[in-house]
């Protein structure tokens, strides 16, 4: 895994563009601490930071073909490169290295832009065709590797991270305020936009071509349509799923450096660990993280799996001070407001793993592929129950009930607010608003008067709902059903954000993470499976449980999905509340004009009152707004990485700025 960056001109580069790319490259040193490379000609400058994984001696980048007319800067791994190499050598291509990077160069020479269709792996790369003065940018099918770009005048500027583009000095950091309701609602932006005005992300499964001053993108892959029923028996589907999963794990053992696995004790990471342990000739290294207050409960399942498969387990336990101490720096690493509190412990377990290995396998992707989240059966229930409810109960009565349940305290109120009783009834809105980070009703309370008009269905959920409703989309085909619409939308939106979380947090610790569940052969097979192979009543991931029944303990197989709950709600209601007040209610935040200070103050006061109703949604609201403000200070105000005061020092309600320039540094 690496970091790539570059500037390409439709005419000629300026004298200092090479130095600009050097700065773009080196602000991502955490992505590639082992080596740095730079290529410059009259119209293109490509930069590269390298984390050495394959062909440690000769795999330096940027790398060229034999006549040095085609250059590449590449981030990722191509797991089928050895097979492609044999085919390309038969066609006359001459190799100078053992690296998968060189295979992409020769594949481009042989098949042009269609080379992406031959690649099996995770990738983001830039190919500069010097003879044609043409740039090709490409991103893997599921979006495992990130890639951002913008056009300024006659230049296209790109990088693995947004901070790389900002480091060029050609792009001003300006907030995309119109996107705030979507960010707070879905926790990320579903389309090409980012939180920076004018900076776009290349979408998963897309390529971009820049030539003669014009940038064009097109999609080369999409998730295939689900089948109403399988042509195979249930046992045959289970057998084929196991074969594909084993093959995917085996391919991801390709490395010249040590490997391990992130192990939570859930079925996804446990399945990967159990299969991986059978394929290597030494004890598997597993890495787990827990919170101090409940370390035993969180680590017990992971320990049980490690004992079962004979692994060497490694653990790290963190507390609230670790969490809030790292948070501001991780906002810088993520480039945009952090979507999920679980990003922070992910960084700490990545840091732990980096002490012993350079590559880890993870269980990411299974939930979106196989209906693993509890929200899927709940959303289906809400939709079906709501269909009956909306036919029987008149609209004015429904509106009154929705207003009433906003005042119901405790868990009962929280469930009611996440049910069909609280939303205007459509499948997409039932799904997106019910499980929002900050739902639309709460946004209209907490945001300033200039942003509340944007807190509406179309603006906040429109980009995500397009995937749910897209005419002609594979999963929207007749027979795919409402569940497969949910899964398709999440694969295109929610999963992409989770993959960015995993990429940025692991790269912050200079470690490569690989995701066997997202091998596109396995994804295509699983996506076509009918509903009953994935969800049976409230039992999720049915085919995975059946496929690994022989390698995992029953306690793991039958364990309900727990996720990784971060005790943020408890912390923010107690000792860290004043710190949140200091960030959200100080002069700078008020002058920014994004929130309603009085509404936020009431929310924080409610957190301090022991008898006041307090839900996970309340904590989610504080989390979203806190990260948004820290992000503004870090990037838009240009103040660099922030530091949060310890609780006992928070009485002044201020955030101490880090006066040092933004540089990639480890959390101490």
């Amino acid at each position: 895994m690496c970091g790539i960056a570059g500037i390409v001109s439709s005419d000629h580069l300026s004298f200092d563009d090479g130095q600009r790319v050097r700065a773009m490259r080196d602000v991502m040193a955490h992505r590639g601490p082992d080596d740095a490379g730079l290529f410059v000609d009259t119209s293109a400058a490509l930069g590269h930071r390298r984390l050495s994984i394959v062909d440690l001696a000769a795999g330096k980048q940027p790398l060229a073909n034999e006549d040095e007319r085609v250059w590449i800067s590449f981030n990722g791994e191509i797991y089928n490169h050895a097979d492609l190499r044999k085919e390309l050598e038969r066609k006359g291509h001459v190799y100078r290295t053992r690296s998968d990077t060189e295979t992409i160069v020769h594949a481009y020479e042989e098949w042009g832009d269609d080379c992406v269709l031959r690649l099996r792996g995770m990738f983001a790369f830039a190919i500069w065709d010097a003879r044609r003065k043409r740039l090709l940018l490409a991103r893997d099918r599921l979006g495992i590797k990130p890639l951002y770009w913008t056009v300024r005048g006659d230049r296209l500027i790109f990088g693995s991270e947004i901070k790389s583009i900002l480091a060029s000095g050609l792009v001003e950091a300006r907030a995309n305020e119109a996107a705030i309701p979507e960010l707070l609602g879905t926790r990320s932006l579903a389309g090409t936009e980012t939180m920076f005005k004018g900076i776009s992300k290349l979408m998963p499964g897309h390529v971009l071509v820049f030539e003669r001053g014009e940038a064009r993108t097109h999609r080369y892959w999409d998730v295939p349509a689900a089948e109403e029923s399988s042509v195979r028996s249930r046992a045959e589907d289970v057998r084929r799923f196991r074969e594909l999963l084993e093959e995917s794990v085996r391919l991801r053992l390709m490395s010249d450096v040590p490997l391990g696995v992130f192990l939570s004790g859930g079925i996804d990471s446990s399945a990967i660990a159990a299969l991986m342990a059978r394929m290597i000739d030494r004890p598997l290294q597993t890495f787990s993280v827990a919170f101090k207050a409940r370390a035993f409960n969180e680590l017990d399942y992971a320990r049980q799996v490690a004992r079962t498969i004979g692994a060497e387990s490694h653990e790290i336990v963190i507390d609230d001070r670790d969490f809030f101490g790292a948070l501001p720096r991780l906002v810088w690493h993520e480039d945009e407001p952090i979507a999920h509190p679980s990003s922070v412990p992910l960084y700490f377990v990545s840091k732990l793993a980096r002490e012993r290995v350079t590559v880890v396998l993870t269980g990411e992707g299974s939930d979106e592929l196989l209906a693993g989240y509890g929200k899927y059966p709940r959303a289906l229930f809400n939709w079906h129950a709501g269909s009956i409810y909306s036919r029987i109960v008149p609209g004015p009565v429904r509106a009154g009930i929705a207003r009433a349940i906003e005042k119901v305290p405790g868990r009962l109120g929280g469930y009611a607010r996440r049910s069909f009783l609280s939303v205007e009834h459509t499948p997409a809105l039932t799904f997106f608003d019910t499980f929002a980070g900050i739902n639309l009703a709460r946004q209209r309370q907490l945001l300033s008067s200039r942003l509340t008009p944007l807190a509406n269905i179309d603006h906040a959920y429109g980009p995500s709902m397009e995937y749910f409703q897209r005419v002609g989309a594979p999963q929207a085909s007749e027979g795919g059903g409402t569940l497969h619409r949910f899964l398709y939308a999440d694969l295109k939106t929610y999963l992409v954000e989770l993959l960015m979380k995993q990429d940025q947090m692991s790269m912050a610790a200079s470690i490569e993470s690989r995701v066997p569940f997202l091998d596109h052969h396995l994804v295509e097979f699983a996506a076509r499976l009918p509903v009953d192979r994935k969800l049976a009543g409230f039992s999720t991931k049915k085919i995975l449980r059946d496929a690994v029944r022989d390698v995992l303990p029953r306690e793991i197989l039958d364990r309900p999905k727990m996720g990784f709950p971060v005790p943020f709600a408890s912390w923010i209601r107690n000792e860290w509340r004043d710190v949140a007040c200091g960030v959200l209610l100080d002069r700078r935040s008020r002058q920014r004009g994004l929130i309603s200070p009085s509404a936020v103050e009431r929310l924080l006061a409610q957190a301090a009152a022991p008898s006041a109703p307090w839900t996970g949604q309340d904590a989610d609201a504080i989390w979203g707004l806190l990260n948004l403000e820290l992000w503004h200070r870090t990037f838009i105000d240009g103040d660099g990485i922030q530091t949060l005061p310890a609780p006992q020092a928070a009485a002044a309600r201020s955030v101490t700025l880090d006066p040092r320039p933004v540089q990639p540094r480890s959390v101490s």
Side-chain angles (χ1 to χ4, degrees):
M1 198 177 297
C2 306
I4 69 174
I7 300 174
V8 172
S9 172
S10 59
D11 188 10
H12 288 83
L13 294 182
S14 66
F15 175 77
D16 56 358
D17 279 338
Q19 291 305 312
R20 293 183 189 278
V21 173
R22 190 185 301 274
M24 294 169 64
R25 176 198 73 183
D26 290 345
V27 79
M28 301 185 295
H30 50 280
R31 297 189 72 90
D34 297 330
D35 196 14
L38 183 68
F39 161 77
V40 182
D41 71 8
T42 58
S43 298
L46 306 182
H48 190 265
R49 293 293 318 199
R50 187 182 185 207
L51 180 65
S52 301
I53 304 293
V54 175
D55 196 359
L56 307 186
K60 296 185 177 183
Q61 297 186 50
L63 182 148
N65 68 340
E66 302 94 321
D67 61 12
E68 297 192 347
R69 292 186 179 182
V70 177
W71 287 84
I72 186 172
S73 187
F74 164 56
N75 170 30
E77 305 290 348
I78 307 302
Y79 303 117
N80 65 332
H81 82 97
D83 293 335
L84 289 174
R85 176 174 181 147
K86 294 175 185 176
E87 181 178 358
L88 289 163
E89 286 180 328
R90 287 196 298 268
K91 292 177 178 291
H93 295 272
V94 178
Y95 277 72
R96 292 175 292 177
T97 74
R98 295 188 297 106
S99 73
D100 52 347
T101 307
E102 189 173 3
T103 290
I104 303 175
V105 172
H106 295 309
Y108 172 78
E109 290 181 285
E110 186 66 33
W111 299 302
D113 297 356
D114 286 345
C115 65
V116 292
L117 300 174
R118 302 291 191 110
L119 305 179
R120 187 174 185 179
M122 56 182 187
F123 54 85
F125 62 78
I127 290 180
W128 172 242
D129 190 326
R131 181 178 58 84
R132 301 168 63 187
K133 293 194 178 300
R134 181 179 190 270
L135 176 73
L136 174 69
L137 298 181
R139 190 176 179 196
D140 64 68
R141 294 167 178 83
L142 278 304
I144 304 167
K145 297 291 99 194
L147 190 54
Y148 302 92
W149 65 280
T150 189
V151 173
R152 290 293 186 272
D154 67 346
R155 295 181 180 93
L156 185 140
I157 308 163
F158 67 88
S160 294
E161 298 184 6
I162 294 174
K163 67 178 67 67
S164 173
I165 293 175
L166 298 176
S168 71
L170 298 172
V171 181
E172 181 185 1
R174 295 187 299 147
N176 182 6
E177 291 187 357
I180 288 175
E182 182 185 0
L183 175 82
L184 297 178
T186 64
R187 299 180 176 87
S188 63
L189 304 186
T192 59
E193 289 188 7
T194 69
M195 281 301 296
F196 294 84
K197 272 189 178 179
I199 299 179
S200 301
K201 55 180 176 280
L202 184 62
M203 297 298 286
H206 281 66
V207 297
L208 179 151
V209 172
F210 181 70
E211 58 183 339
R212 294 185 291 276
E214 181 184 359
R216 307 184 310 275
T217 63
H218 78 268
R219 186 181 68 204
Y220 67 86
W221 183 87
D222 205 349
V223 182
E227 300 169 352
E228 292 188 53
S229 60
S230 179
V231 297
R232 300 166 299 275
S233 68
R234 185 180 297 273
E236 288 172 326
D237 278 340
V238 170
R239 178 186 56 79
R240 182 57 179 155
F241 182 89
R242 171 69 174 264
E243 289 174 350
L244 287 169
L245 182 58
E246 287 183 338
E247 179 185 45
S248 180
V249 172
R250 188 176 296 108
L251 286 170
R252 281 153 184 79
L253 301 183
M254 179 188 82
S255 177
D256 293 336
V257 295
L259 302 96
V261 65
F262 286 159
L263 181 61
S264 69
I267 187 172
D268 304 330
S269 62
S270 299
I272 299 301
L275 296 177
M276 188 176 173
R278 294 180 164 203
M279 299 176 186
I280 59 177
D281 58 1
R282 58 195 177 281
L284 177 64
Q285 305 293 303
T286 69
F287 304 94
S288 307
V289 60
F291 289 104
K292 188 175 182 179
R294 50 176 200 255
F296 178 80
N297 290 340
E298 290 180 348
L299 292 173
D300 190 42
Y301 288 109
R303 291 167 179 167
Q304 183 179 0
V305 174
R307 288 193 299 269
T308 299
I309 64 177
E312 292 182 3
S313 60
H314 308 278
E315 301 167 353
I316 185 169
V317 176
I318 63 176
D319 60 18
D320 57 324
R321 300 203 174 211
D322 297 320
F323 182 95
F324 285 99
L327 176 60
R329 187 175 299 277
L330 297 182
V331 170
W332 179 81
H333 274 290
E334 188 117 337
D335 285 333
E336 297 181 284
I338 297 178
H340 303 279
S342 56
S343 288
V344 180
L346 177 57
Y347 165 71
F348 280 99
V349 75
S350 298
K351 193 177 178 184
L352 171 69
R354 189 65 174 92
E355 296 173 3
R356 292 174 173 83
V357 301
T358 311
V359 176
V360 291
L361 275 62
T362 82
E364 205 72 82
S366 170
D367 290 309
E368 295 80 9
L369 192 62
L370 303 174
Y373 296 124
K375 70 178 182 179
Y376 297 125
R378 293 203 302 273
L380 289 174
F381 172 80
N382 280 345
W383 168 234
H384 294 307
S387 296
I388 299 170
Y389 172 71
S390 61
R391 286 198 303 268
I392 296 174
V393 181
V397 177
R398 296 200 307 272
I401 293 173
R403 288 192 298 271
I405 66 173
E406 287 296 322
K407 301 176 182 178
V408 177
R411 291 190 175 184
L412 177 61
Y415 173 76
R417 284 185 287 273
R418 290 181 179 269
S419 76
F420 62 89
L421 297 171
S422 66
V423 295
E424 194 63 37
H425 196 61
T426 67
L429 187 58
T430 297
F431 187 61
F432 293 115
D433 200 59
T434 302
F435 301 102
I438 307 178
N439 66 23
L440 296 180
R442 178 61 64 86
Q443 285 192 39
R444 288 190 282 267
Q445 295 170 357
L446 295 174
L447 293 178
S448 66
S449 58
R450 67 186 175 89
L451 288 182
T452 50
L454 299 178
N456 59 65
I457 295 169
D458 292 337
H459 198 85
Y461 303 135
S464 295
M465 288 168 64
E466 283 184 13
Y467 289 110
F468 184 90
Q469 297 169 332
R470 182 186 294 168
V471 176
Q475 300 296 357
S477 60
E478 187 174 351
T482 302
L483 175 63
H484 280 117
R485 288 174 180 258
F486 290 155
L487 295 177
Y488 179 72
D490 267 0
L491 282 166
K492 293 292 188 174
T493 58
Y494 188 75
L495 175 63
V496 177
E497 172 57 37
L498 293 182
L499 292 172
M500 290 304 92
K501 173 190 81 172
Q502 180 166 285
D503 175 87
Q504 306 290 28
M505 294 302 99
S506 60
M507 280 282 81
S510 302
I511 196 167
E512 174 174 295
S513 58
R514 299 177 177 178
V515 280
F517 281 111
L518 296 183
D519 183 278
H520 78 273
H521 289 201
L522 179 60
V523 169
E524 289 172 352
F525 174 80
R528 291 189 176 101
L529 291 171
V531 168
D532 65 355
R533 300 295 197 262
K534 303 172 185 179
L535 190 62
F538 279 80
S539 177
T540 63
K541 291 185 282 198
K542 187 71 172 63
I543 194 169
L544 174 61
R545 297 179 195 278
D546 291 342
V548 296
R549 198 164 293 279
D550 63 320
V551 296
L552 289 178
R554 180 177 294 277
E555 295 88 343
I556 303 301
L557 286 168
D558 297 336
R559 180 188 176 195
K561 174 92 179 157
M562 298 296 293
F564 190 76
V566 177
F568 179 81
S570 173
W571 293 334
I572 215 68
R573 196 170 191 184
N574 293 288
E575 59 267 33
W576 289 92
R577 189 190 73 91
D578 284 345
V579 175
C581 288
V583 176
L584 293 176
L585 296 175
D586 78 348
R587 173 186 54 81
R588 190 154 41 145
S589 175
R590 292 171 184 267
Q591 290 179 345
R592 204 180 303 284
L594 302 179
I595 63 171
S596 166
S598 59
V600 172
E601 194 162 14
R602 284 194 298 272
L603 178 62
L604 289 164
Q606 181 179 320
S611 60
W614 181 253
T615 68
Q617 286 183 308
D618 297 320
D620 287 345
I622 294 175
W623 170 261
L625 296 177
L626 178 66
N627 274 271
L628 181 63
E629 178 60 25
L630 289 175
W631 173 80
H632 270 87
R633 297 181 182 195
T634 302
F635 289 102
I636 306 305
D637 296 349
D639 289 326
I641 299 168
Q642 308 289 288
T643 58
L644 293 172
Q648 63 266 29
R653 290 191 175 183
S654 63
V655 176
T656 304
L657 299 181
D658 185 340
R660 296 169 292 179
V662 177
Q663 294 293 334
R665 299 182 294 268
S666 300
V667 175
S668 59

